[in-house]
Amino acid sequence: KDLIARAIHQSSERAERPLIRVNCAAVPRELFESEFFGHVKGAFTGAVRDRAGRFELADGGTLFLDEVGEIPLELQSKLLRVLQEGQCERVGSDHTFTTDVRVIAATNRNLEAEVAEGRFREDLYFRLNVFPIHSAALRERVEDIPLLVAHFLNVIGRRLGRDDLRISETEVRRMQAYSWPGNVRELQNAVEHGVALAQASRVALDDLPAEVVRILEAANAPIEWQEARAGFRYLWSLRALFWLTMALFPIRILTRL
């Protein structure tokens, strides 16, 4: 999601202006308004100085709201107002300022279902859902895993001074059997874990996080058995072919007396 938001920002006419990120799931409920719109000194306990909000900081640029479905229902109307009118006030101030921001919102929730359940405003949903982009989970595009592993291995290896590390194609194919619920970030962390523990110049499956290894070993066991069984079938096929050849084209043994 971060990569998509960054690519949109950098490809636009706003590229020279700020890209501000907000993880809505990490903002305490009582601080949402201050986080988005800012506050003035003395607006509440702990407000020891004026502080600009995210909309103000992103003026002219892009504001990326990750996990937008986590915004409390009672604050969604204020977000809707700034999206529609481009105006808001800092907490504790009656001065209205104008902001020009492109908003990119992301969520792992089904917002249509949230609207139906009354947990997300329908008008805000339609205001955000102008140009939806579906980002497929990593488990839905396992063909990307080899490229991502090679990229992370290169970047992390250089950063940790281990740019000689390699990983075999067999190990990468095994990694494709894991569902990667944490998507690309989990894969990146797993590769970094492997780089930290790797012996010599090769990252092995056992160098990945223990939970990933456990699931991969269970997932790959049937595959390995199938490969072994296919090998046995191949050997038996060769044997059958040999005897069939012998039957059709008997070899005459000539004995010189």
Side-chain angles (χ1 to χ4, degrees):
K1 293 180 290 185
D2 288 344
L3 293 176
I4 294 174
R6 188 182 305 125
I8 293 173
H9 175 73
Q10 292 178 346
S11 302
S12 72
E13 297 178 353
R14 298 175 181 261
E16 301 301 319
R17 301 295 297 165
L19 168 62
I20 304 296
R21 303 173 181 84
V22 181
N23 182 359
C24 300
V27 180
R29 176 182 294 264
E30 62 275 10
L31 295 181
F32 261 100
E33 195 171 357
S34 173
E35 184 72 18
F36 284 162
F37 312 125
H39 61 256
V40 296
K41 180 178 178 181
F44 51 84
T45 302
V48 295
R49 59 181 178 82
D50 290 356
R51 181 179 183 273
R54 299 296 181 164
F55 274 93
E56 196 171 348
L57 293 173
D59 187 37
T62 302
L63 180 62
F64 175 42
L65 302 178
D66 195 10
E67 302 300 345
V68 71
E70 304 298 326
I71 298 177
L73 185 62
E74 62 270 19
L75 295 177
Q76 292 175 15
S77 60
K78 296 184 178 181
L79 176 59
L80 178 63
R81 179 198 170 205
V82 70
L83 291 179
Q84 288 181 331
E85 302 175 6
Q87 295 181 335
C88 56
E89 298 84 26
R90 290 185 180 183
V91 177
S93 172
D94 57 3
H95 172 68
T96 300
F97 64 88
T98 301
T99 181
D100 173 25
V101 175
R102 174 207 282 122
V103 173
I104 301 174
T107 182
N108 60 2
R109 295 193 179 201
N110 183 338
L111 289 187
E112 290 184 356
E114 295 291 301
V115 169
E117 294 292 331
R119 292 189 293 265
F120 201 86
R121 291 181 62 108
E122 186 177 32
D123 47 5
L124 178 57
Y125 168 72
F126 286 118
R127 190 67 185 86
L128 291 171
N129 196 35
V130 175
F131 191 88
I133 299 175
H134 173 66
S135 177
L138 188 56
R139 64 180 175 273
E140 299 175 20
R141 46 189 176 95
V142 294
E143 66 278 4
D144 289 350
I145 290 178
L147 295 174
L148 290 169
V149 169
H151 171 70
F152 292 142
L153 194 62
N154 181 44
V155 173
I156 296 170
R158 284 205 311 267
R159 176 161 55 84
L160 298 182
R162 306 200 62 184
D163 52 0
D164 61 326
L165 288 176
R166 298 293 180 269
I167 186 169
S168 71
E169 292 184 7
T170 300
E171 303 289 42
V172 174
R173 283 199 303 271
R174 289 181 173 183
M175 292 171 72
Q176 290 177 303
Y178 183 58
S179 63
W180 300 106
N183 290 302
V184 175
R185 187 173 288 110
E186 183 183 7
L187 177 62
Q188 180 179 1
N189 291 342
V191 172
E192 186 164 3
H193 190 282
V195 169
L197 296 184
Q199 301 295 319
S201 61
R202 189 176 78 88
V203 176
L205 192 68
D206 291 341
D207 296 326
L208 301 181
E211 180 64 14
V212 175
V213 172
R214 182 183 66 80
I215 295 175
L216 283 178
E217 287 178 344
N220 282 296
I223 296 175
E224 292 173 353
W225 167 245
Q226 290 173 11
E227 290 176 349
R229 188 167 59 180
F232 282 124
R233 284 204 193 105
Y234 176 71
L235 292 176
W236 279 107
S237 298
L238 286 180
R239 184 176 179 180
L241 179 60
F242 171 76
W243 288 113
L244 179 62
T245 303
M246 291 291 291
L248 296 176
F249 306 101
I251 300 176
R252 298 180 181 274
I253 301 177
L254 302 178
T255 304
R256 178 177 297 177
L257 298 177

